[in-house]
Amino acid sequence: MTGTTPLPDVQGLEDEEAKRLLRTHVRAIRAQHSPKDRAREAHMFAQHGEEAVADVRTVAAYVSEPGEPDTSQLLGALSGRGVRILLPVLGPGLARAWAYYRGEDDLQRRAPGRPPEPSGPILPADAIRDAEAIITPGLAVDGLGTRLGQGAGWYDRMLALIEPDVPTFTMVFEHEVLRDYLLPRAEFDIPIKAVITPSEWFLLEGSPINKAARALAESAALAR
Ligand SMILES: Nc1nc2c(c(=O)[nH]1)N(C=O)[C@@H](CNc1ccc(C(=O)N[C@@H](CCC(=O)O)C(=O)O)cc1)CN2
Ligand SMILES: Nc1ncnc2c1ncn2[C@@H]1O[C@H](COP(=O)(O)OP(=O)(O)OP(=O)(O)O)[C@@H](O)[C@H]1O
C-alpha cells in the first residue's frame, strides 16, 4: 500500500494467486490496527457514509467483522434517520440472501466464521434491487473501481443483479485506495463507482485517482 508497507509484487502471477497474496497483505496490516483507532474511524466512516448515500430510503450495507471498516456507527446513524438497511444473510453453502437491520442487539452470529446477521425474515438475493445505494466491504480498491473482496465472490454475484445506475460504494481504509496499482480484474469482477474512507467519500469517475489508473491501464496495454 502507499506509505510504509509496499504491496507485494504480483507481476506475472495468475489472478487468483495475485489476489491471494494481496488479501494476506491487507489482512496482516488490518490485524495491527488498534481498537482505539478503529472506534474513532467508525465515527468517520459513519459521517462520510451518510453523506455518500444522501437521502436514500433503502440501502444495502454489511455488518463489519473485526478488522474491517467498522459499520456499527453508520448502521445506527442511517437507521436513526429511518433508512431501511438490507444486510447479508448467508444460507447453506454461502447462499446469498438479505434481511433488514433491526438494531445492533438483533445482530447475531449464526455460525462460526460468518458475520453477524439480523434475525428478521430472509429475503432472496434479488432483494438487493430494492436498494438505492449499495455499500460493499472490501480489502482494497483501485482507481478503476476494481474491488478486492474477502474472496467468496458473494458481492460479484450480487452486483450482477442491480441496475447499472445504482451507486455502489466500497468502504476501505485510506491506504487501501490503490493510487498507482491496478488490481487483477476477472470477467466476473464488477467495478464499483465510489469509495468511502474515514476521511472522505468520492466518485471514482473523473477523480484524479481514476485518471491516473486509466493512464496506467493504457500504458500496460501498450506494453503488451
Ligand atoms: N462483514 C462482511 N460481511 C459479508 C462479507 C464480507 O466480506 N464482510 N461477504 C463478502 O463476501 C459476504 C460473506 N462472505 C463469507 C464468505 C465465506 C465465509 C466462510 O467460508 N466462512 C467459513 C469459515 C471461515 C473461517 O473460519 O475463516 C464457514 O462459514 O464455514 C463466510 C462469509 C457477505 N457478508
Ligand atoms: N458472477 C459470478 N458467477 C460465478 N462465479 C463467480 C462470480 N463472481 C465470482 N465468482 C467466483 O467467486 C470466486 C471469488 O471471486 P473474487 O476473488 O472476485 O471474490 P471477491 O470479490 O474478492 O469476494 P466477495 O465478493 O465475496 O467480497 C471466483 O474465483 C469465482 O470463481
Side-chain angles (χ1 to χ4, degrees):
M1 330 251 85
T2 54
T4 49
T5 326
L7 284 167
D9 183 8
V10 296
Q11 286 276 333
L13 297 181
E14 293 289 326
D15 284 1
E16 283 308 307
E17 180 62 7
K19 284 185 180 180
R20 199 185 60 77
L21 287 179
L22 291 164
R23 286 189 186 106
T24 305
H25 177 86
V26 175
R27 286 178 183 139
I29 295 175
R30 284 187 172 183
Q32 292 166 19
H33 211 141
S34 80
K36 202 170 144 209
D37 285 345
R38 273 181 57 75
R40 187 176 48 85
E41 284 167 340
H43 288 275
M44 298 162 79
F45 274 121
Q47 186 193 328
H48 298 296
E50 265 201 279
E51 280 170 25
V53 301
D55 53 2
V56 293
R57 285 157 300 177
T58 304
V59 69
Y62 68 95
V63 183
S64 50
E65 290 279 31
E68 289 185 312
D70 186 330
T71 54
S72 59
Q73 303 299 317
L74 176 62
L75 299 181
L78 289 173
S79 95
R81 272 181 20 201
V83 177
R84 288 157 61 79
I85 307 169
L86 284 164
L87 295 170
V89 172
L90 270 64
L94 297 185
R96 288 163 293 280
W98 299 96
Y100 279 104
Y101 180 69
R102 293 176 165 184
E104 190 156 12
D105 293 346
D106 176 58
L107 298 173
Q108 267 188 43
R109 214 176 272 285
R110 313 277 152 200
R114 304 202 170 187
E117 296 174 352
S119 71
I122 295 181
L123 307 168
D126 67 3
I128 195 177
R129 292 170 192 261
D130 293 338
E132 294 157 286
I134 294 158
I135 298 175
T136 66
L139 290 168
V141 65
D142 73 17
L144 298 178
T146 308
R147 173 185 155 271
L148 180 69
Q150 297 282 3
W154 205 89
Y155 275 95
D156 294 321
R157 290 177 179 88
M158 279 297 181
L159 295 177
L161 303 177
I162 62 171
E163 297 296 330
D165 59 341
V166 174
T168 51
F169 300 87
T170 293
M171 256 172 62
V172 287
F173 297 104
E174 215 68 63
H175 57 274
E176 296 164 352
V177 183
L178 307 180
R179 290 166 199 279
D180 45 16
Y181 191 98
L182 296 179
L183 287 166
R185 185 190 291 182
E187 251 166 48
F188 52 74
D189 279 324
I190 299 178
I192 52 90
K193 297 190 184 128
V195 178
I196 302 168
T197 74
S199 67
E200 61 181 340
W201 80 270
F202 60 94
L203 284 172
L204 281 165
E205 181 75 46
S207 68
I209 154 170
N210 179 243
K211 287 184 184 141
R214 283 170 192 245
L216 206 58
E218 219 162 89
S219 61
L222 287 176
R224 226 174 259 150

